Amino acid sequence: MKFVRRLVAAFLVIYLLPALASAGWWYMKERPQSWRDADWSSAGILPTPAQSPDAAVYIFSATTGGLKGAVASHAWIVTKERGAAAYNRYDKVGWGKPIRRNAYPADARWYSNEPRLVATATGAEADRLIPKIEVAIAAYPYSLAGGYRIWPGPNSNTFVAHVLRSVPELDAVLPPDAVGRDYLPEGKLFQIDADGRDLHATLYGLAGISAGMRSGLELHFFGLVAGLDIARPGIKIPALGRFGI
């Protein structure tokens, strides 16, 4: 019984308290009450294609809206081929056709929340990665209508995490508040990234572990992630995000 009490206490401290703190802060913030009231315009982060003709790849994440915004974010993928006149943006959404292309400006706010860059590749590296990204997007197994579940997945973050695992040269993992990122496609319980540097074990996104050079050491429970980064020292706090270098 002492072990059980300690386990419960650890869960409360590591997972529940940060989630409650984030929810309290979210409740006090001024925010749009519905998607109709939200700002979906460009945040002005990316240069125009004319200003930067080189190929480019960007992975973005932004806090989402509604009650889930207290603990969760939404991620998307942006690509631009060399000399292209426009960016291509890919989102996984829960309405209509799940994989949306160019439904929003490439660096748009999400539910009025400023996007943050998770990964960037430009020039020759982007030239090399864009075809691999397109293959990974085309291979995503939940790309048809009905292929979305807000929790524990597959959702928007499941989609982007699938691409990151399939194209490990992007050298990134989604932030700890990207609920759904640890749901492995096709009901897998275990997966190793394409370059063998990270491994993931999960019980359908409900509980599990990720470990490796990119992930560090992560424990996820009900979509909330706690962990330590090794390559870039830092800590990952459920609902609050990553703090460190």
Side-chain angles (χ1 to χ4, degrees), residues 20-207:
L20 290 175
S22 181
W25 171 246
W26 185 250
Y27 179 78
M28 292 186 294
K29 285 177 61 177
E30 183 177 345
R31 62 187 188 280
Q33 297 304 304
S34 74
W35 65 270
R36 294 181 182 85
D37 302 321
D39 181 359
W40 303 89
S41 66
S42 169
I45 295 172
L46 298 181
T48 66
Q51 292 172 329
S52 181
D54 287 347
V57 175
Y58 303 99
I59 307 296
F60 280 104
S61 177
T63 302
T64 190
L67 292 176
K68 63 183 182 294
V71 296
S73 60
H74 168 83
W76 65 93
I77 301 163
V78 174
T79 65
K80 183 180 72 68
E81 295 183 345
R82 184 193 305 262
Y87 291 102
N88 285 316
R89 170 173 169 162
Y90 300 90
D91 293 76
K92 172 76 181 290
V93 296
W95 57 90
K97 186 177 180 180
I99 304 297
R100 291 292 181 91
R101 179 174 173 176
N102 300 329
Y104 310 92
D107 58 357
R109 298 168 179 87
W110 189 258
Y111 275 95
S112 298
N113 298 304
E114 294 286 313
R116 53 192 184 268
L117 274 169
V118 175
T120 302
T122 57
E125 180 71 358
D127 279 325
R128 186 175 67 84
L129 294 182
I130 287 174
K132 295 185 176 184
I133 291 169
E134 291 175 345
V135 168
I137 291 172
Y140 185 63
Y142 303 108
S143 61
L144 301 178
Y148 181 97
R149 183 170 56 193
I150 191 170
W151 180 86
N155 60 20
S156 62
N157 297 317
T158 311
F159 164 62
V160 177
H162 157 80
V163 174
L164 291 177
R165 286 192 294 267
S166 301
V167 190
E169 297 95 325
L170 287 165
D171 196 30
V173 295
L174 290 179
D177 60 353
V179 175
R181 65 172 202 163
D182 295 301
Y183 183 96
L184 295 178
E186 300 178 312
K188 293 178 181 177
L189 301 180
F190 183 82
Q191 185 172 350
I192 298 176
D193 287 359
D195 63 354
R197 297 181 68 193
D198 273 33
L199 61 87
H200 313 272
T202 183
L203 185 63
Y204 308 112
L206 297 173

